[in-house]
Amino acid sequence: MAVTEPVRLEPAQSVDLRTDVAHSARMYDWYLGGKDNFPADRLAGEKVREVLPAVPQSAVQNRAFLVRATRFLAREAGIRQFLDIGTGIPTRPNLHEVAQGVAPEARIVYADNDPIVLAHARALLTSAPEGRTAYLDADVRDPARILASPEVRETLDLTRPVGLSLVAILHFVDDEDGAYDIVRQLMAALPSGSYLTLSCLTADFDPGPVNTAVGVYHAQGLTCVARPHAATLRFFDGLEVVAPGLTPTHLWRPDDLAPSPEAIAGGNIIYGAVARKS
């Protein structure tokens, strides 16, 4: 039966966008060629691009990875419920558009604590009439609150498999802030047959420029961590990583079997993988 009732999102909710300081979500939007960014974001983004020219392509390749992974989960794995944490500024195609393009009845909960994302969250709520979407203003560092929220509990059935997406979010969480525990807590709450889609920044292929770019984020007061392959693979402990494993994003089940040099450069600074909970 179609579910079309509105989700919880106050239309007049006031948010402090702090447009005078750089913000990771708005910088990412700028990398993608979006318009939801401000001079401070563009200045910081340009500093990153100066030392790491591949960063705009990395954002494009990361987004393409999310699309392919979601399509795989909906089409091949039969997943009909998705929890996307660290959603970012809406960029088409959004996850629900991909999932509901395969299965219109799919249900999706988006979660993010970035004020700019909250300000644009209504773009994430355009569900197919057969399915449902919800938006939750919450921090990835508080998985218990996310899992206990009405948005999750009333939209998803946590006794049935869920596709959890943590795409390009955990490189903004230090190990000391519990990055690995966050993943463990979230996956522990999901039943067998659930999947984890995750991508994370790496300096394995271009250490000098990537580490310099990490320093630019730090100079803006933003956490940023570039993890090597082994450290990124730890996020999937106890899960069955599906083929082709943890790879640069442009190599994860690519639509184009002959990627351009730009795609390779962009994909080589972010690892991505999908894994199943048995």
Side-chain angles (χ1 to χ4, degrees), residues 170 173-184 227 235:
L170 289 175
V173 183
D174 280 325
D175 293 356
E176 294 78 10
D177 288 335
Y180 295 101
D181 286 336
I182 288 168
V183 177
R184 280 193 288 268
R227 292 184 173 91
F235 286 118

Side-chain angles (χ1 to χ4, degrees), residues 211-270:
N211 288 325
T212 302
V214 166
V216 174
Y217 275 87
H218 292 171
Q220 308 301 315
L222 301 170
T223 298
C224 191
V225 183
R227 292 184 173 91
H229 190 275
T232 306
L233 195 59
R234 279 185 57 199
F235 286 118
F236 300 94
D237 282 355
L239 306 176
E240 301 170 1
V241 181
V242 303
L246 180 65
T247 70
T249 51
H250 72 287
L251 295 178
W252 198 90
R253 301 190 176 215
D255 295 325
D256 183 355
L257 298 181
S260 68
E262 292 79 13
I264 294 170
N268 273 348
I269 70 170
I270 299 181

Side-chain angles (χ1 to χ4, degrees), residues 48 51-53 202-216 226 269:
V48 173
V51 299
L52 187 60
T202 186
D204 280 358
F205 303 96
D206 207 1
V210 171
N211 288 325
T212 302
V214 166
V216 174
I269 70 170

Side-chain angles (χ1 to χ4, degrees), residues 161-204:
V162 174
L164 171 64
S165 295
L166 294 167
V167 173
I169 182 64
L170 289 175
H171 47 237
F172 297 122
V173 183
D174 280 325
D175 293 356
E176 294 78 10
D177 288 335
Y180 295 101
D181 286 336
I182 288 168
V183 177
R184 280 193 288 268
Q185 288 180 55
L186 290 167
M187 291 305 298
L190 304 182
S192 297
S194 294
Y195 283 80
L196 170 64
T197 300
L198 183 148
S199 67
C200 192
L201 180 68
T202 186
D204 280 358

Side-chain angles (χ1 to χ4, degrees), residues 55-254:
V55 72
Q57 262 295 328
S58 76
V60 171
Q61 290 303 318
N62 182 72
R63 192 76 193 178
F65 162 72
L66 170 64
V67 169
R68 295 195 304 273
T70 302
R71 190 184 302 129
F72 161 78
L73 292 178
R75 182 179 296 162
E76 299 184 39
I79 297 297
R80 297 295 181 263
Q81 306 185 108
F82 296 84
L83 175 57
D84 181 27
I85 304 177
T87 299
I89 296 171
T91 302
R92 300 193 73 174
N94 292 296
L95 188 150
H96 72 278
E97 294 168 318
V98 178
Q100 292 180 345
V102 176
E105 72 275 20
R107 291 171 166 240
I108 297 90
V109 175
Y110 293 105
D112 207 304
N113 75 328
D114 291 345
I116 188 69
V117 181
L118 177 60
H120 291 272
R122 290 199 174 278
L124 300 171
L125 305 179
T126 55
S127 175
E130 300 91 339
R132 187 176 179 186
T133 60
Y135 180 83
L136 171 64
D137 182 23
D139 194 323
V140 68
R141 296 174 181 82
D142 194 356
R145 177 174 176 266
I146 292 172
L147 292 166
S149 69
E151 289 82 357
V152 168
R153 294 290 173 173
E154 295 176 11
T155 306
L156 308 180
D157 178 357
L158 297 186
T159 68
R160 296 173 54 239
V162 174
L164 171 64
S165 295
L166 294 167
V167 173
I169 182 64
L170 289 175
H171 47 237
F172 297 122
V173 183
D174 280 325
D175 293 356
E176 294 78 10
D177 288 335
Y180 295 101
D181 286 336
I182 288 168
V183 177
R184 280 193 288 268
Q185 288 180 55
L186 290 167
M187 291 305 298
L190 304 182
S192 297
S194 294
Y195 283 80
L196 170 64
T197 300
L198 183 148
S199 67
C200 192
L201 180 68
T202 186
D204 280 358
F205 303 96
D206 207 1
V210 171
N211 288 325
T212 302
V214 166
V216 174
Y217 275 87
H218 292 171
Q220 308 301 315
L222 301 170
T223 298
C224 191
V225 183
R227 292 184 173 91
H229 190 275
T232 306
L233 195 59
R234 279 185 57 199
F235 286 118
F236 300 94
D237 282 355
L239 306 176
E240 301 170 1
V241 181
V242 303
L246 180 65
T247 70
T249 51
H250 72 287
L251 295 178
W252 198 90
R253 301 190 176 215

